[in-house]
Amino acid sequence: MMNLDEFLENYSNIGFNPYIVVSDNNQIPLESNEDNLDVLSIKNKEVNRYLKEKELKTQENNWKEYSGYFIRAKKNSFGSVQTCFLTSSKGFEQRVQNIIVVEENAHLEVFTGCLSNSHGLDNIHRAITDIFIGKNAKLTFNMIHSWSRSSKVYPSTRVYVDEGGTYISNYVVWDEVSMISANPVVELKDNAKTILQSLSYIHPNSDIDLGGHIKLIGSDSSGEIHSSAVNNGGKFSTKTTIEGLGDNSKGHIDCNALLLDSKAVVSAIPELYSKNDKTELTHEAFLGKISNDEIEYLQTKGFEREHAEELIVKGFANKSIERMPDIVKEKMRNILDKAKEGF
Amino acid sequence: MLSVKKLNIKINNQNVVKDLTYDFSVKEGGLFVLLGPNGCGKSTLFKAIMGFSGYEVSGDILLNGKRINDLSIDQRVKLGLAYMYQHPPVIKGVKVKDMLEEKDLDDDFWDKYSKNVDELDASKFYSRYVNDGLSGGEIKRSELLTLTMLENSKLFLFDEPDSGVDLDNLKNIGKYINNIVKESKSIGIIITHTGDVLKYLDVQKAAIMYDGKIVCEGDPEKLINCIKKSGYHECVNCKDLEK
């Protein structure tokens, strides 16, 4: 487990400003109100006023103690934010509610890291996140996890994309974590687009459930879900659904999983639902061990068998993130370079 | 340099190479060509020599007199074996660049690599996934380029470098094979069933493999002419050739 400084450097600090740190259930230390971007505590009264004015409905929470942020990228703006969720003590249950609004024609990039420090064993992170993307607006949401090996993580995410809007989610879990159950739901209006892509490394005691549900409500809307996992003996599930409802909507699901250990369990359940004869929905999947032909090929190039396997796993990981932004690729390169003990 | 003794190779319990004893040696910098019809066991022989899985091997494979049957593929490569695939696998995710970056390569290597890239017109392979989306000729050129990363290769096994290759590529590939074998003062064994590439190569010796056995050997030109005239079946029964 790396210390906080190392984590911030390796995972979360990418130079974006503002930088929001949510520690345990404490309120965010700094709020900002700028020309292009508002960052407020979720408990700020202005948040409710704004939601009411815009008639935006969020998921309910019944928590007594919680924290979280409200981010608003204003109309026609370009901006970026980095956020980090920390839990500090053993067994702590962090509860956060987050709201992100990207107004019409605005572009926002969010980079998020999650961390529990070296004392944060057995902690739980619960997050309710509602995202509203306006007409022709775009949100790229990048997340790299680094919880402790006994952390349990339960995010509940709802995303609403208005006409011509775009939502891209890049989700990476490489360090050991006990459990993640994440099944975001994305609703798209006319000409809206979403891509949900994830890469997970499943450690022997990990149970990772990364799914997704896309509702192609509007005409000419499109959605893709790409799930990749390297499973070294844990459990990985990905239940994904795309509903083709609008005219000329298009959806695609794929899942690729490399099984490195005989105890690895992978379950991929793609569901395509069409209620419109003008939709086009596809899916494909590959679950299996590393190809022996590929290993032997690399051996003929002088690599020992273990080294060849390592090269193929790294290649699988790099290919899985090739459509992700450079900042994610760079962070992943650091992580893979540090995985010296092999896979 | 390379010889086999009483070599039997089975695939799925079927004997493909049968009790073969043969010495493939030629002079340093020279080429040996192994001719034979499809399915006669040529590629199987190469793959067993390299140590690929899926082949049940008995008898001896000897490299410079040392038995290598029990060595892994990479150990055989370290001893000087270098193999050019006929049908290499595609490895999506791994680029030629990635393979090179994993090796500790010095300036001499990069000079040689750069020269070989020019000779093979292969600059585009560096940043592409291994063998992904390449044409027949490109696969051969990429394969030849990746041989550059092997140090101290002493024996090259070229498995059908002329299959699926157009005339321009054929000339380029033949010339390149000649050069690397001569410059590295090694030995090359080439498998071909069409013989198309031979006109661009300086081959010292040839042999015909038929039904899992080497049935005759001799001057490459004579053998090729015989095969072209009468076909493999008639050729192996021809009394004029060395048996």
Side-chain angles (χ1 to χ4, degrees), chain A residues 95-124:
Chain A
R95 305 181 195 107
V96 293
Q97 178 163 22
N98 303 313
I99 298 170
I100 300 173
V101 180
V102 188
E103 292 182 344
E104 189 173 345
N105 284 320
H107 284 215
L108 179 67
E109 184 156 15
V110 176
F111 189 96
T112 292
C114 295
L115 170 79
S116 55
N117 73 16
S118 52
H119 304 292
L121 295 172
D122 302 321
N123 54 356
I124 295 173

Side-chain angles (χ1 to χ4, degrees), chain B residues 84-130:
Chain B
M84 176 192 177
Y85 277 73
Q86 183 186 359
H87 300 298
V90 173
I91 312 183
K92 286 192 177 176
V94 179
K95 297 173 180 170
V96 172
K97 169 178 172 279
D98 300 327
M99 291 196 285
L100 294 172
E101 282 176 357
E102 290 290 313
K103 293 182 176 251
D104 188 18
L105 302 165
D106 58 17
D107 290 346
D108 287 348
F109 166 81
W110 288 110
D111 289 345
K112 191 169 74 170
Y113 181 81
S114 170
K115 178 175 159 275
N116 292 348
V117 165
D118 288 344
E119 283 179 18
L120 289 165
D121 185 20
S123 55
K124 70 175 178 184
F125 305 142
Y126 182 74
S127 300
R128 285 175 69 157
Y129 293 136
V130 172

Side-chain angles (χ1 to χ4, degrees), chain A residues 59 66 75 111 121 172 176 185 191 193 223 225 237 259 275 282 308 310 314 327:
Chain A
Q59 300 171 74
Y66 65 97
K75 194 173 173 180
F111 189 96
L121 295 172
V172 176
E176 188 171 359
V185 179
N191 290 303
K193 177 183 175 182
I225 304 175
S237 314
L259 282 69
K275 233 174 92 172
T282 55
E310 190 181 309
K314 279 187 182 178
I327 46 170

